[in-house]
């Protein structure tokens, strides 16, 4: 592979910037531009895990001074010779140094290039590589713990356990079928069933935790909806901890979507306070209502707000029906008023309900508990190793389907040859998940989502 370089810190003004070079010519590229001050040795003469202070020089002129660190193959992030230059964090000077490096025959690194090389050089599995971006994008302690466990191989080990069981079974079946004249013990049907059932059970647990893990890592797009003046904006402000939305007794105050990210327990909610859903002849207000309905339809989580101090309306019933079958929690607001709202008429449309007084700040704990219950957070352990993205989930789902079909075929009296084909298909899906057996196109797609410099 060619030698590549990129700026590994954000392209923004800061204290320092880091430029990374990786490949067989990394040290010679550093020799051309870096002149140590306190030692005579060039970068190519330095030992691994050592640093030197010096000047970055172009055509005899000093561009900047900084610290150069050497990592020698294979004990580096990428498994190749790696040089990292820490320079002053100005955008202009950093880009000038990168251009100087590239002018010497080094190629510009693509998105995720360094982590991709780490994967290709056997430094990490594909699931561990994918966890790198999850660590970078984590916005909470639970999400960070989840990503770190994946980076340490928790998911790989769970998949490997199932995969090794299937490989052992496939080996026994192949030996028994291919060498019938040898003294090889026959594979019994109950043995095949036991391995398949154990693998299916393990994959069921993994797939069942996918949604909880996704919400911890990515957060939930949350729509606060309801008819006018039920307290949507007051609830938004309570959750946000500040006056994010305008609160008024006048109907139709909120005419556009107001957005804010908040944390409830271990879950980040990307809140959208929407216009009151109702029929209106006001052109501007009707645009806001239309946007509210679109937000409702696209949301991961719906907080449907109702005024329990007034009787149920046709608009309340319409909203409830739109929430049926969705991740929707009914927020029965204004609990400090006389109760006139008959929630039993629409209760079957919701996964859960909570009673609050957003104006008085009461009931927030109950709402937090309802959201965590909805996403199965009570039994969720961030460090247990979960499926991190749709690619991984799809591979696990295909594997489970193949193993289930193999078990059903076995019980129906199919030949061991037919059962073996199904098990082999499922095993290939597991190997694709971990990256042990996957196409170049899949690998390229995974790393295309990375930032340049990582």
């Amino acid at each position: 592979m060619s030698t590549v370089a990129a700026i590994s810190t954000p392209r923004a003004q800061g204290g320092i910037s880091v430029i990374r070079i990786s490949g067989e010519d990394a040290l010679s590229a550093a020799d051309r531009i870096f002149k140590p001050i306190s030692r005579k040795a060039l970068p190519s003469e330095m030992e691994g895990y050592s640093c030197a202070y010096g000047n970055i020089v172009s055509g005899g002129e000093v561009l900047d001074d900084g610290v150069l660190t050497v990592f020698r193959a294979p004990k580096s992030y990428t498994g190749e010779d790696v040089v990292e230059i820490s320079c002053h964090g100005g955008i202009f000077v950093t880009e000038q140094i990168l251009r100087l490096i590239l002018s010497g025959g080094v190629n510009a690194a693509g998105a995720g290039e360094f982590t991709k090389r780490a994967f290709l050089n056997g430094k990490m599995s594909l699931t561990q590589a994918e966890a790198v971006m999850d660590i970078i994008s984590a916005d909470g302690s639970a999400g960070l713990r989840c990503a770190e466990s994946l980076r340490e191989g928790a998911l790989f080990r769970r998949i490997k356990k199932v995969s090794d069981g299937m490989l052992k079974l496939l080996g026994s079946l192949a030996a028994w079928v291919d060498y019938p004249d040898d003294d090889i013990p026959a594979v019994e049907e109950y043995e095949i069933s036991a391995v398949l059932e154990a693998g299916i059970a393990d994959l069921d647990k993994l797939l069942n935790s996918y949604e909880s893990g996704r919400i911890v890592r990515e957060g939930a797009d949350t729509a606060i909806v309801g008819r006018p003046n039920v307290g949507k904006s007051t609830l938004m402000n309570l959750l946000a901890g500040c006056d994010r939305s305008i609160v008024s007794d006048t109907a139709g105050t909120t005419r556009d979507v107001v957005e804010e990210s908040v944390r409830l327990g271990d879950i980040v909610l990307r809140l959208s306070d929407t216009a009151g859903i109702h029929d209106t002849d006001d052109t501007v207000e009707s645009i806001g209502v239309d946007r509210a309905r679109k937000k409702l339809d696209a949301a991961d989580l719906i907080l449907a707000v109702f005024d329990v101090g007034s009787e149920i309306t046709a608009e309340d019933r319409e909203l409830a029906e739109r929430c049926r079958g969705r991740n929707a929690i009914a927020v029965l607001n204004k609990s400090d008023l006389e109760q006139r709202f008959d929630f039993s008429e629409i209760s079957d449309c919701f996964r859960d309900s909570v009673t609050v007084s957003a104006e008085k700040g009461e009931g927030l704990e109950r709402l937090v508990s309802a959201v965590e219950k909805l996403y199965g957070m009570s039994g969720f352990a961030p460090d247990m190793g979960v499926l991190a993205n749709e690619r991984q989930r799809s591979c696990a789902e295909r594997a489970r389907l193949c193993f289930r079909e193999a078990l059903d075929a076995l019980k129906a009296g199919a030949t061991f040859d037919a059962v073996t084909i199904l098990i082999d298909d499922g095993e290939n899906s597991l190997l694709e998940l971990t990256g042990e057996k996957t196409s170049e196109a899949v690998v390229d797609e995974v790393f295309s989502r990375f930032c340049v410099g990582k």
Side-chain angles (χ1 to χ4, degrees), residues 92-161:
F92 179 75
V93 68
T94 305
E95 291 185 343
Q96 286 297 108
I97 295 171
L98 177 62
R99 288 179 187 176
L100 179 61
I101 295 169
L102 298 181
S103 68
V106 176
N107 294 322
E113 180 82 21
F114 300 112
T115 306
K116 181 179 180 180
R117 290 180 177 223
F119 163 67
L120 295 174
N121 290 326
K123 300 293 289 185
M124 60 181 72
S125 69
L126 192 57
T127 54
Q128 288 175 299
E130 287 175 300
V132 171
M133 280 308 297
D134 287 338
I135 291 175
I136 293 172
S137 60
D139 57 6
S141 59
L144 180 58
R145 292 200 308 273
C146 187
E148 286 176 338
S149 73
L150 298 179
R151 176 66 179 82
E152 292 168 1
L155 175 61
F156 179 82
R157 290 190 292 272
R158 292 184 71 177
I159 296 298
K160 193 68 173 172
K161 175 189 172 186

Side-chain angles (χ1 to χ4, degrees), residues 184-210:
I184 297 175
V187 182
E188 300 293 341
E189 182 176 324
Y190 76 87
E191 296 176 286
I192 302 175
S193 295
V195 174
L196 287 171
E197 287 171 353
I200 292 169
D202 286 340
L203 291 175
D204 279 342
K205 292 178 183 177
L206 197 57
L207 287 160
N208 289 340
S209 67
Y210 174 70

Side-chain angles (χ1 to χ4, degrees), residues 310-347:
S310 62
E311 295 181 356
I312 193 168
T313 67
E315 291 157 340
D316 291 329
R317 294 188 181 91
E318 178 191 350
L319 172 60
E321 283 300 323
R322 293 178 74 101
C323 293
R324 187 182 294 277
R326 303 284 303 282
N327 284 338
I329 297 174
V331 181
L332 307 178
N333 190 31
K334 304 184 183 181
S335 60
D336 51 313
L337 302 181
E338 180 184 353
Q339 307 296 291
R340 302 174 61 192
F341 191 85
D342 187 1
F343 179 61
S344 64
E345 291 188 34
I346 55 174
S347 60

Side-chain angles (χ1 to χ4, degrees), residues 25-36:
D25 295 327
L27 293 168
S28 59
D31 283 348
R32 288 191 293 271
I33 70 163
F34 188 83
K35 306 304 176 187

Side-chain angles (χ1 to χ4, degrees), residues 258-434:
V258 180
E259 298 180 332
E260 183 71 39
S261 289
V262 303
R263 178 173 299 283
L264 289 187
D266 284 333
I267 301 175
V268 173
L269 302 185
R270 294 188 294 275
L271 296 174
S272 298
D273 179 20
T274 63
I277 297 177
H278 68 297
D279 294 329
T280 177
D281 294 328
D282 186 299
T283 303
V284 176
E285 191 176 0
S286 66
I287 294 173
V289 172
D290 184 56
R291 289 180 179 178
R293 290 191 172 109
K294 288 179 179 178
K295 275 290 182 182
L296 188 158
D297 292 338
D300 290 322
L301 172 66
I302 302 168
L303 301 181
V305 186
F306 300 98
D307 179 358
V308 297
S310 62
E311 295 181 356
I312 193 168
T313 67
E315 291 157 340
D316 291 329
R317 294 188 181 91
E318 178 191 350
L319 172 60
E321 283 300 323
R322 293 178 74 101
C323 293
R324 187 182 294 277
R326 303 284 303 282
N327 284 338
I329 297 174
V331 181
L332 307 178
N333 190 31
K334 304 184 183 181
S335 60
D336 51 313
L337 302 181
E338 180 184 353
Q339 307 296 291
R340 302 174 61 192
F341 191 85
D342 187 1
F343 179 61
S344 64
E345 291 188 34
I346 55 174
S347 60
D348 62 333
C349 297
F350 297 94
R351 299 280 296 275
D352 205 346
S353 63
V354 294
T355 301
V356 305
S357 174
E359 184 177 15
K360 295 183 177 299
E362 298 173 355
L364 183 58
E365 312 82 17
R366 291 190 290 273
L367 181 56
V368 172
S369 297
V371 173
E372 291 181 337
K373 177 183 174 183
L374 180 65
Y375 287 109
M377 299 304 298
S378 59
F380 179 76
D383 57 354
M384 67 183 179
V386 297
L387 297 167
N389 51 54
E390 184 58 29
R391 183 196 73 82
Q392 295 176 5
R393 190 209 63 80
S394 178
C395 288
E397 184 61 58
R398 290 201 311 271
R400 180 175 66 172
L401 179 61
C402 288
F403 298 149
R404 172 57 64 186
E405 289 179 349
L407 185 60
D408 292 343
L410 184 67
K411 292 178 179 179
T415 65
F416 282 5
D417 281 347
V419 172
T420 298
I421 292 172
L422 290 168
I423 297 174
D424 192 52
D425 287 344
E427 174 65 15
N428 285 336
S429 293
L430 294 181
L431 294 176
E432 181 181 336
L433 195 162
T434 61

